[in-house]
Amino acid sequence: MKSMTCKQLGGACDFEFQADTFEEIAELSKQHGMEMYQQQEPAHLDAMAKMQELMKDPAAMQVWYNNKKREFDES
């Protein structure tokens, strides 16, 4: 089992996600993001806005995803 933090994934806090695959980590991060959105947590809302900007460029988003997956695989 490996772990990554919210900050490592572009988020705003040190909450740690643990899973066997990067895809599972991504899903846990998504759930955490939804919880923070529901709470309207300002730092997470800022981080989400930055991620939304990145997502407007599919090529940049793919590079980001590949880099994070590689980081997970190498840890």
Side-chain angles (χ1 to χ4, degrees), residues 18-67:
Q18 294 186 341
D20 292 321
T21 68
F22 181 72
E23 292 74 19
E24 291 170 328
I25 289 276
E27 182 58 32
L28 292 170
S29 174
K30 181 179 172 182
Q31 290 172 9
H32 174 68
M34 287 189 284
E35 290 171 14
M36 295 299 101
Y37 180 79
Q38 288 173 347
Q39 294 176 22
Q40 292 293 288
E41 200 286 309
H44 282 84
L45 293 177
D46 288 345
M48 286 176 208
K50 290 176 186 169
M51 286 301 294
Q52 286 177 336
E53 281 299 310
L54 179 65
M55 292 171 76
K56 289 180 182 178
D57 181 348
M61 187 64 202
Q62 189 63 49
V63 168
W64 178 91
Y65 181 88
N66 290 341
N67 287 339

Side-chain angles (χ1 to χ4, degrees), residues 22 63 65-75:
F22 181 72
V63 168
Y65 181 88
N66 290 341
N67 287 339
K68 294 301 175 181
K69 186 174 185 322
R70 187 176 312 112
E71 182 180 337
F72 175 84
D73 290 341
E74 292 174 355
S75 66

